[in-house]
Amino acid sequence: KQEVTQIPAALSVPEGENLVLNCSFTDSAIYNLQWFRQDPGKGLTSLLLIQSSQREQTSGRLNASLDKSSGRSTLYIAASQPGDSATYLCAVEAGSYQLTFGKGTKLSVIP
Amino acid sequence: DAGVTQSPTHLIKTRGQQVTLRCSPKSGHDTVSWYQQALGQGPQFIFQYYEEEERQRGNFPDRFSGHQFPNYSSELNVNALLLGDSALYLCASSLGTVEAFFGQGTRLTVV
């Protein structure tokens, strides 16, 4: 059974700092990995999708990497802003048509 | 493009009642998945619909059922509501099994 773990559960950083969020998964036979952002009480916004053949994806200040063999992914956020405050979720799809999610990392960026 | 739309946004039901939640997928998407997200947890997969058939199901009881219409929209039905069914219900659409896009969710409260 695929399990996804995100560390840390919560993170507080001053504005302007670069930061890294971590995601690990137990079964390396994945098709893709997706990072999402969730604001309180809201739905999920897709940030980046990394397919199994890729090592990283970039969008603006965000960069996500994938190491399938070690079962790890990182989301790097450059020059953090207060508007980046949200919960960040990592999810993997392993060929069973379902996404398996971690519990998320709650990020607070302090002005 | 309106993206994935869900209705209603909030709902309050009494234990034992039945509820129907609705989802319209992103334009061009043919696959709809439903997830349940309890407070402080990652979303849990309920089931996925493709070509009007349930293609995959997560670990949820038969009280949870669904339907997909020819226009790819979908409904989630929950019978005999329990207090534990209170959660944010998320609909996701995709073209095949690649990137998933989520709606804003329906907050269900069972009293």
Side-chain angles (χ1 to χ4, degrees), chain A residues 31-32 34 36 38 41-49 51 89 93 95-103, chain B residues 33 35 37 40-45 48 55-58 88 90 97-105 107:
Chain A
Y31 282 10
N32 58 61
Q34 204 166 347
F36 296 90
Q38 185 173 33
K42 302 295 185 182
L44 278 60
T45 300
S46 178
L47 298 174
L48 290 165
L49 169 75
Q51 303 211 24
L89 292 155
E93 199 265 310
S96 60
Y97 305 114
Q98 61 179 283
L99 291 174
T100 302
F101 284 83
K103 292 184 179 182
Chain B
S33 302
Y35 291 80
Q37 187 179 25
Q41 302 295 313
Q44 297 291 314
F45 176 76
Q48 183 181 89
R55 176 158 68 177
Q56 184 68 257
R57 187 177 185 92
L88 181 67
L90 296 163
T97 59
V98 195
E99 188 172 8
F101 292 84
F102 282 77
Q104 289 300 296
R107 170 68 63 187

Tab-separated table of all heavy atoms in Angstrom, chain A residues 31-32 34 36 38 41-49 51 89 93 95-103, chain B residues 33 35 37 40-45 48 55-58 88 90 97-105 107:
chain	number	residue	atom	x	y	z
A	31	TYR	N	3.622	6.644	-11.452
A	31	TYR	CA	3.486	7.203	-12.798
A	31	TYR	C	3.804	8.687	-12.796
A	31	TYR	O	4.409	9.208	-13.716
A	31	TYR	CB	2.073	6.983	-13.328
A	31	TYR	CG	1.804	5.584	-13.832
A	31	TYR	CD1	2.700	4.551	-13.608
A	31	TYR	CD2	0.634	5.287	-14.520
A	31	TYR	CE1	2.457	3.271	-14.067
A	31	TYR	CE2	0.379	4.007	-14.988
A	31	TYR	CZ	1.300	3.004	-14.750
A	31	TYR	OH	1.041	1.733	-15.201
A	32	ASN	N	3.341	9.386	-11.765
A	32	ASN	CA	3.651	10.806	-11.666
A	32	ASN	C	3.464	11.283	-10.237
A	32	ASN	O	2.886	10.570	-9.398
A	32	ASN	CB	2.804	11.640	-12.642
A	32	ASN	CG	1.314	11.459	-12.428
A	32	ASN	OD1	0.800	11.751	-11.368
A	32	ASN	ND2	0.619	10.998	-13.445
A	34	GLN	N	2.456	14.968	-8.061
A	34	GLN	CA	1.884	16.299	-8.242
A	34	GLN	C	1.953	17.047	-6.923
A	34	GLN	O	1.662	16.485	-5.858
A	34	GLN	CB	0.421	16.158	-8.725
A	34	GLN	CG	-0.118	17.332	-9.481
A	34	GLN	CD	-1.428	16.995	-10.227
A	34	GLN	OE1	-1.812	15.841	-10.380
A	34	GLN	NE2	-2.090	18.035	-10.688
A	36	PHE	N	0.383	20.326	-4.834
A	36	PHE	CA	-0.798	21.182	-4.785
A	36	PHE	C	-0.649	22.204	-3.674
A	36	PHE	O	0.047	21.992	-2.699
A	36	PHE	CB	-2.061	20.358	-4.490
A	36	PHE	CG	-2.431	19.366	-5.544
A	36	PHE	CD1	-1.948	18.071	-5.493
A	36	PHE	CD2	-3.288	19.722	-6.581
A	36	PHE	CE1	-2.305	17.144	-6.454
A	36	PHE	CE2	-3.658	18.802	-7.550
A	36	PHE	CZ	-3.164	17.505	-7.484
A	38	GLN	N	-3.236	24.416	-1.025
A	38	GLN	CA	-4.599	24.508	-0.527
A	38	GLN	C	-4.704	25.655	0.475
A	38	GLN	O	-4.012	25.651	1.503
A	38	GLN	CB	-5.049	23.201	0.126
A	38	GLN	CG	-6.514	23.215	0.545
A	38	GLN	CD	-7.009	21.867	1.032
A	38	GLN	OE1	-6.253	21.094	1.632
A	38	GLN	NE2	-8.270	21.554	0.755
A	41	GLY	N	-9.947	25.898	3.932
A	41	GLY	CA	-11.330	25.630	3.554
A	41	GLY	C	-11.600	25.617	2.070
A	41	GLY	O	-12.763	25.563	1.656
A	42	LYS	N	-10.544	25.662	1.275
A	42	LYS	CA	-10.710	25.747	-0.175
A	42	LYS	C	-10.271	24.459	-0.862
A	42	LYS	O	-9.788	23.522	-0.232
A	42	LYS	CB	-9.887	26.923	-0.728
A	42	LYS	CG	-10.246	28.266	-0.117
A	42	LYS	CD	-11.658	28.701	-0.454
A	42	LYS	CE	-11.946	30.091	0.069
A	42	LYS	NZ	-13.347	30.520	-0.210
A	43	GLY	N	-10.431	24.446	-2.192
A	43	GLY	CA	-9.995	23.300	-2.962
A	43	GLY	C	-8.496	23.321	-3.199
A	43	GLY	O	-7.766	24.133	-2.629
A	44	LEU	N	-8.045	22.405	-4.041
A	44	LEU	CA	-6.614	22.275	-4.332
A	44	LEU	C	-6.270	22.950	-5.642
A	44	LEU	O	-6.986	22.789	-6.642
A	44	LEU	CB	-6.241	20.797	-4.430
A	44	LEU	CG	-5.975	20.028	-3.137
A	44	LEU	CD1	-7.181	20.025	-2.228
A	44	LEU	CD2	-5.532	18.608	-3.443
A	45	THR	N	-5.148	23.664	-5.635
A	45	THR	CA	-4.629	24.277	-6.849
A	45	THR	C	-3.380	23.517	-7.269
A	45	THR	O	-2.433	23.381	-6.478
A	45	THR	CB	-4.285	25.760	-6.611
A	45	THR	OG1	-5.473	26.459	-6.214
A	45	THR	CG2	-3.715	26.391	-7.873
A	46	SER	N	-3.378	23.005	-8.492
A	46	SER	CA	-2.216	22.265	-8.975
A	46	SER	C	-1.057	23.228	-9.209
A	46	SER	O	-1.207	24.266	-9.860
A	46	SER	CB	-2.562	21.544	-10.280
A	46	SER	OG	-1.438	20.858	-10.781
A	47	LEU	N	0.105	22.894	-8.662
A	47	LEU	CA	1.303	23.718	-8.825
A	47	LEU	C	2.238	23.135	-9.882
A	47	LEU	O	2.652	23.836	-10.808
A	47	LEU	CB	2.037	23.836	-7.493
A	47	LEU	CG	1.284	24.496	-6.345
A	47	LEU	CD1	2.090	24.409	-5.060
A	47	LEU	CD2	0.964	25.946	-6.680
A	48	LEU	N	2.584	21.889	-9.717
A	48	LEU	CA	3.544	21.247	-10.611
A	48	LEU	C	3.229	19.760	-10.713
A	48	LEU	O	2.849	19.128	-9.724
A	48	LEU	CB	4.979	21.418	-10.098
A	48	LEU	CG	5.573	22.829	-10.172
A	48	LEU	CD1	6.823	22.930	-9.297
A	48	LEU	CD2	5.921	23.179	-11.616
A	49	LEU	N	3.401	19.216	-11.906
A	49	LEU	CA	3.272	17.785	-12.150
A	49	LEU	C	4.604	17.288	-12.667
A	49	LEU	O	5.155	17.858	-13.612
A	49	LEU	CB	2.182	17.509	-13.189
A	49	LEU	CG	2.095	16.086	-13.737
A	49	LEU	CD1	1.474	15.165	-12.706
A	49	LEU	CD2	1.308	16.043	-15.036
A	51	GLN	N	6.256	13.889	-14.213
A	51	GLN	CA	6.016	12.522	-14.676
A	51	GLN	C	7.223	11.660	-14.300
A	51	GLN	O	8.315	12.170	-14.047
A	51	GLN	CB	5.756	12.527	-16.181
A	51	GLN	CG	4.592	13.436	-16.531
A	51	GLN	CD	3.816	12.979	-17.747
A	51	GLN	OE1	3.825	11.830	-18.101
A	51	GLN	NE2	3.106	13.908	-18.377
A	89	LEU	N	0.438	20.245	-0.476
A	89	LEU	CA	0.189	18.807	-0.484
A	89	LEU	C	0.927	18.146	-1.637
A	89	LEU	O	0.960	18.673	-2.756
A	89	LEU	CB	-1.314	18.531	-0.631
A	89	LEU	CG	-2.196	18.941	0.553
A	89	LEU	CD1	-3.615	19.209	0.110
A	89	LEU	CD2	-2.172	17.868	1.621
A	93	GLU	N	0.611	9.149	-8.078
A	93	GLU	CA	-0.287	8.269	-8.814
A	93	GLU	C	0.539	7.070	-9.255
A	93	GLU	O	1.573	7.220	-9.903
A	93	GLU	CB	-0.887	9.004	-10.002
A	93	GLU	CG	-2.149	8.345	-10.547
A	93	GLU	CD	-1.886	7.407	-11.691
A	93	GLU	OE1	-1.189	7.802	-12.639
A	93	GLU	OE2	-2.376	6.264	-11.651
A	95	GLY	N	-0.623	4.118	-10.890
A	95	GLY	CA	-1.212	3.197	-11.861
A	95	GLY	C	-2.545	2.620	-11.459
A	95	GLY	O	-3.097	1.784	-12.172
A	96	SER	N	-3.085	3.052	-10.335
A	96	SER	CA	-4.391	2.555	-9.899
A	96	SER	C	-5.452	3.642	-10.027
A	96	SER	O	-6.495	3.556	-9.389
A	96	SER	CB	-4.311	2.068	-8.445
A	96	SER	OG	-3.917	3.131	-7.605
A	97	TYR	N	-5.166	4.630	-10.848
A	97	TYR	CA	-6.096	5.710	-11.164
A	97	TYR	C	-6.397	6.624	-9.990
A	97	TYR	O	-7.256	7.482	-10.100
A	97	TYR	CB	-7.422	5.173	-11.727
A	97	TYR	CG	-7.259	4.276	-12.914
A	97	TYR	CD1	-7.599	2.930	-12.842
A	97	TYR	CD2	-6.754	4.765	-14.112
A	97	TYR	CE1	-7.448	2.095	-13.940
A	97	TYR	CE2	-6.597	3.940	-15.211
A	97	TYR	CZ	-6.952	2.607	-15.118
A	97	TYR	OH	-6.816	1.797	-16.190
A	98	GLN	N	-5.747	6.433	-8.856
A	98	GLN	CA	-6.020	7.276	-7.720
A	98	GLN	C	-4.757	7.997	-7.286
A	98	GLN	O	-3.657	7.474	-7.411
A	98	GLN	CB	-6.576	6.467	-6.553
A	98	GLN	CG	-5.645	5.389	-6.047
A	98	GLN	CD	-6.262	4.637	-4.877
A	98	GLN	OE1	-6.282	5.127	-3.764
A	98	GLN	NE2	-6.771	3.445	-5.157
A	99	LEU	N	-4.958	9.215	-6.767
A	99	LEU	CA	-3.867	9.952	-6.148
A	99	LEU	C	-3.830	9.598	-4.659
A	99	LEU	O	-4.867	9.565	-4.006
A	99	LEU	CB	-4.078	11.454	-6.303
A	99	LEU	CG	-3.940	12.031	-7.715
A	99	LEU	CD1	-4.330	13.508	-7.730
A	99	LEU	CD2	-2.518	11.859	-8.216
A	100	THR	N	-2.627	9.331	-4.162
A	100	THR	CA	-2.423	9.117	-2.737
A	100	THR	C	-1.710	10.339	-2.195
A	100	THR	O	-0.620	10.693	-2.677
A	100	THR	CB	-1.597	7.852	-2.472
A	100	THR	OG1	-2.261	6.725	-3.048
A	100	THR	CG2	-1.419	7.633	-0.977
A	101	PHE	N	-2.323	10.982	-1.204
A	101	PHE	CA	-1.837	12.253	-0.678
A	101	PHE	C	-1.104	12.087	0.640
A	101	PHE	O	-1.408	11.185	1.444
A	101	PHE	CB	-3.007	13.202	-0.416
A	101	PHE	CG	-3.601	13.828	-1.647
A	101	PHE	CD1	-4.543	13.153	-2.398
A	101	PHE	CD2	-3.225	15.106	-2.040
A	101	PHE	CE1	-5.094	13.729	-3.536
A	101	PHE	CE2	-3.776	15.694	-3.167
A	101	PHE	CZ	-4.716	15.012	-3.911
A	102	GLY	N	-0.174	13.016	0.892
A	102	GLY	CA	0.346	13.209	2.229
A	102	GLY	C	-0.607	14.124	3.001
A	102	GLY	O	-1.609	14.599	2.457
A	103	LYS	N	-0.255	14.367	4.278
A	103	LYS	CA	-1.120	15.221	5.097
A	103	LYS	C	-0.827	16.696	4.895
A	103	LYS	O	-1.567	17.552	5.397
A	103	LYS	CB	-0.954	14.857	6.570
A	103	LYS	CG	-1.505	13.483	6.919
A	103	LYS	CD	-1.399	13.222	8.408
A	103	LYS	CE	-1.985	11.862	8.742
A	103	LYS	NZ	-1.941	11.591	10.190
B	33	SER	N	-12.877	12.200	-10.592
B	33	SER	CA	-12.590	11.474	-9.350
B	33	SER	C	-13.141	12.256	-8.175
B	33	SER	O	-13.182	13.494	-8.213
B	33	SER	CB	-11.079	11.296	-9.172
B	33	SER	OG	-10.515	10.619	-10.266
B	35	TYR	N	-12.906	12.799	-3.876
B	35	TYR	CA	-12.078	12.626	-2.694
B	35	TYR	C	-12.797	13.194	-1.478
B	35	TYR	O	-13.561	14.162	-1.594
B	35	TYR	CB	-10.737	13.363	-2.857
B	35	TYR	CG	-9.822	12.748	-3.889
B	35	TYR	CD1	-9.998	12.997	-5.247
B	35	TYR	CD2	-8.780	11.908	-3.508
B	35	TYR	CE1	-9.167	12.419	-6.196
B	35	TYR	CE2	-7.933	11.332	-4.456
B	35	TYR	CZ	-8.146	11.592	-5.793
B	35	TYR	OH	-7.319	11.019	-6.731
B	37	GLN	N	-11.934	14.828	2.278
B	37	GLN	CA	-10.856	15.383	3.084
B	37	GLN	C	-11.375	15.771	4.462
B	37	GLN	O	-12.135	16.731	4.593
B	37	GLN	CB	-10.213	16.594	2.402
B	37	GLN	CG	-8.975	17.100	3.145
B	37	GLN	CD	-8.321	18.278	2.454
B	37	GLN	OE1	-8.955	19.022	1.718
B	37	GLN	NE2	-7.023	18.456	2.665
B	40	GLY	N	-7.563	18.582	8.701
B	40	GLY	CA	-6.176	18.303	9.059
B	40	GLY	C	-5.566	17.093	8.374
B	40	GLY	O	-4.428	16.717	8.678
B	41	GLN	N	-6.303	16.496	7.445
B	41	GLN	CA	-5.815	15.301	6.744
B	41	GLN	C	-5.673	15.572	5.258
B	41	GLN	O	-6.211	16.552	4.736
B	41	GLN	CB	-6.796	14.136	6.942
B	41	GLN	CG	-7.055	13.768	8.390
B	41	GLN	CD	-5.822	13.236	9.070
B	41	GLN	OE1	-5.118	12.378	8.529
B	41	GLN	NE2	-5.535	13.737	10.262
B	42	GLY	N	-4.957	14.694	4.569
B	42	GLY	CA	-4.905	14.768	3.123
B	42	GLY	C	-6.167	14.154	2.535
B	42	GLY	O	-6.852	13.371	3.185
B	43	PRO	N	-6.520	14.518	1.319
B	43	PRO	CA	-7.695	13.917	0.673
B	43	PRO	C	-7.559	12.397	0.528
B	43	PRO	O	-6.470	11.897	0.261
B	43	PRO	CB	-7.727	14.601	-0.698
B	43	PRO	CG	-6.986	15.885	-0.505
B	43	PRO	CD	-5.903	15.553	0.475
B	44	GLN	N	-8.689	11.703	0.697
B	44	GLN	CA	-8.753	10.248	0.525
B	44	GLN	C	-9.620	9.932	-0.693
B	44	GLN	O	-10.733	10.451	-0.821
B	44	GLN	CB	-9.369	9.600	1.771
B	44	GLN	CG	-8.554	9.801	3.042
B	44	GLN	CD	-7.248	9.047	3.023
B	44	GLN	OE1	-7.194	7.875	2.671
B	44	GLN	NE2	-6.165	9.720	3.401
B	45	PHE	N	-9.120	9.044	-1.555
B	45	PHE	CA	-9.803	8.689	-2.800
B	45	PHE	C	-11.069	7.894	-2.524
B	45	PHE	O	-11.035	6.893	-1.800
B	45	PHE	CB	-8.832	7.874	-3.655
B	45	PHE	CG	-9.393	7.341	-4.934
B	45	PHE	CD1	-9.584	8.172	-6.025
B	45	PHE	CD2	-9.710	5.996	-5.049
B	45	PHE	CE1	-10.070	7.665	-7.219
B	45	PHE	CE2	-10.204	5.484	-6.235
B	45	PHE	CZ	-10.387	6.323	-7.321
B	48	GLN	N	-13.425	6.797	-8.991
B	48	GLN	CA	-13.198	7.506	-10.246
B	48	GLN	C	-14.174	7.001	-11.303
B	48	GLN	O	-14.419	5.796	-11.399
B	48	GLN	CB	-11.774	7.279	-10.745
B	48	GLN	CG	-11.444	8.055	-12.020
B	48	GLN	CD	-10.037	7.797	-12.512
B	48	GLN	OE1	-9.788	6.878	-13.274
B	48	GLN	NE2	-9.101	8.612	-12.043
B	55	ARG	N	-14.467	3.243	-12.502
B	55	ARG	CA	-13.262	2.542	-12.942
B	55	ARG	C	-12.431	2.036	-11.776
B	55	ARG	O	-11.762	1.019	-11.878
B	55	ARG	CB	-12.430	3.451	-13.826
B	55	ARG	CG	-11.111	2.842	-14.262
B	55	ARG	CD	-10.569	3.488	-15.511
B	55	ARG	NE	-10.150	4.856	-15.321
B	55	ARG	CZ	-9.587	5.580	-16.294
B	55	ARG	NH1	-9.383	5.055	-17.483
B	55	ARG	NH2	-9.255	6.835	-16.076
B	56	GLN	N	-12.474	2.780	-10.677
B	56	GLN	CA	-11.672	2.396	-9.514
B	56	GLN	C	-12.370	2.910	-8.277
B	56	GLN	O	-13.007	3.974	-8.327
B	56	GLN	CB	-10.269	3.010	-9.618
B	56	GLN	CG	-9.295	2.604	-8.519
B	56	GLN	CD	-8.908	1.158	-8.602
B	56	GLN	OE1	-9.411	0.322	-7.834
B	56	GLN	NE2	-8.033	0.840	-9.517
B	57	ARG	N	-12.241	2.182	-7.184
B	57	ARG	CA	-12.894	2.573	-5.944
B	57	ARG	C	-11.908	2.475	-4.798
B	57	ARG	O	-11.117	1.522	-4.742
B	57	ARG	CB	-14.096	1.668	-5.669
B	57	ARG	CG	-14.938	2.105	-4.499
B	57	ARG	CD	-16.147	1.203	-4.319
B	57	ARG	NE	-17.006	1.699	-3.260
B	57	ARG	CZ	-18.025	2.530	-3.445
B	57	ARG	NH1	-18.329	2.930	-4.657
B	57	ARG	NH2	-18.745	2.956	-2.435
B	58	GLY	N	-11.960	3.452	-3.913
B	58	GLY	CA	-11.141	3.416	-2.710
B	58	GLY	C	-11.847	2.660	-1.601
B	58	GLY	O	-12.873	2.002	-1.815
B	88	LEU	N	-14.772	17.868	3.789
B	88	LEU	CA	-14.740	18.600	2.523
B	88	LEU	C	-14.680	17.556	1.409
B	88	LEU	O	-13.783	16.703	1.411
B	88	LEU	CB	-13.523	19.521	2.477
B	88	LEU	CG	-13.349	20.383	1.217
B	88	LEU	CD1	-14.459	21.435	1.125
B	88	LEU	CD2	-11.977	21.067	1.215
B	90	LEU	N	-14.117	16.774	-2.437
B	90	LEU	CA	-13.425	17.378	-3.575
B	90	LEU	C	-13.629	16.546	-4.828
B	90	LEU	O	-13.559	15.319	-4.792
B	90	LEU	CB	-11.929	17.480	-3.277
B	90	LEU	CG	-11.539	18.393	-2.114
B	90	LEU	CD1	-10.121	18.099	-1.652
B	90	LEU	CD2	-11.660	19.848	-2.528
B	97	THR	N	-5.298	9.930	-17.197
B	97	THR	CA	-4.792	9.829	-15.828
B	97	THR	C	-3.625	10.777	-15.588
B	97	THR	O	-2.829	10.559	-14.688
B	97	THR	CB	-4.338	8.395	-15.524
B	97	THR	OG1	-3.314	8.031	-16.465
B	97	THR	CG2	-5.476	7.429	-15.619
B	98	VAL	N	-3.533	11.831	-16.372
B	98	VAL	CA	-2.416	12.744	-16.199
B	98	VAL	C	-2.817	13.801	-15.158
B	98	VAL	O	-3.413	13.484	-14.145
B	98	VAL	CB	-1.967	13.329	-17.554
B	98	VAL	CG1	-0.594	13.992	-17.427
B	98	VAL	CG2	-1.865	12.213	-18.592
B	99	GLU	N	-2.503	15.060	-15.394
B	99	GLU	CA	-2.656	16.078	-14.363
B	99	GLU	C	-4.097	16.233	-13.923
B	99	GLU	O	-5.012	16.374	-14.729
B	99	GLU	CB	-2.118	17.409	-14.869
B	99	GLU	CG	-2.057	18.492	-13.806
B	99	GLU	CD	-1.328	19.734	-14.291
B	99	GLU	OE1	-1.015	19.792	-15.496
B	99	GLU	OE2	-1.075	20.630	-13.468
B	100	ALA	N	-4.308	16.215	-12.601
B	100	ALA	CA	-5.644	16.361	-12.019
B	100	ALA	C	-5.869	17.805	-11.606
B	100	ALA	O	-4.986	18.441	-11.024
B	100	ALA	CB	-5.795	15.445	-10.818
B	101	PHE	N	-7.071	18.306	-11.909
B	101	PHE	CA	-7.479	19.644	-11.512
B	101	PHE	C	-8.684	19.515	-10.583
B	101	PHE	O	-9.615	18.790	-10.877
B	101	PHE	CB	-7.845	20.484	-12.745
B	101	PHE	CG	-6.658	20.808	-13.613
B	101	PHE	CD1	-6.213	19.901	-14.559
B	101	PHE	CD2	-5.983	22.017	-13.474
B	101	PHE	CE1	-5.109	20.182	-15.356
B	101	PHE	CE2	-4.881	22.305	-14.273
B	101	PHE	CZ	-4.447	21.382	-15.208
B	102	PHE	N	-8.607	20.240	-9.469
B	102	PHE	CA	-9.630	20.118	-8.441
B	102	PHE	C	-10.573	21.305	-8.417
B	102	PHE	O	-10.181	22.430	-8.767
B	102	PHE	CB	-8.975	19.988	-7.061
B	102	PHE	CG	-8.438	18.617	-6.775
B	102	PHE	CD1	-7.239	18.201	-7.353
B	102	PHE	CD2	-9.107	17.754	-5.929
B	102	PHE	CE1	-6.738	16.929	-7.093
B	102	PHE	CE2	-8.606	16.487	-5.663
B	102	PHE	CZ	-7.428	16.072	-6.241
B	103	GLY	N	-11.799	21.042	-7.974
B	103	GLY	CA	-12.756	22.096	-7.711
B	103	GLY	C	-12.558	22.681	-6.323
B	103	GLY	O	-11.636	22.291	-5.603
B	104	GLN	N	-13.431	23.609	-5.954
B	104	GLN	CA	-13.321	24.282	-4.668
B	104	GLN	C	-13.907	23.472	-3.517
B	104	GLN	O	-13.750	23.826	-2.357
B	104	GLN	CB	-14.021	25.648	-4.723
B	104	GLN	CG	-13.259	26.654	-5.565
B	104	GLN	CD	-11.859	26.896	-5.012
B	104	GLN	OE1	-11.656	27.393	-3.916
B	104	GLN	NE2	-10.842	26.513	-5.790
B	105	GLY	N	-14.586	22.394	-3.853
B	105	GLY	CA	-15.069	21.500	-2.806
B	105	GLY	C	-16.463	21.831	-2.309
B	105	GLY	O	-16.958	22.954	-2.481
B	107	ARG	N	-18.387	21.614	1.365
B	107	ARG	CA	-18.230	21.363	2.798
B	107	ARG	C	-19.529	20.757	3.301
B	107	ARG	O	-20.560	21.419	3.312
B	107	ARG	CB	-17.934	22.666	3.534
B	107	ARG	CG	-17.990	22.554	5.058
B	107	ARG	CD	-16.879	21.718	5.629
B	107	ARG	NE	-15.567	22.295	5.376
B	107	ARG	CZ	-14.431	21.694	5.649
B	107	ARG	NH1	-14.440	20.476	6.184
B	107	ARG	NH2	-13.277	22.281	5.391
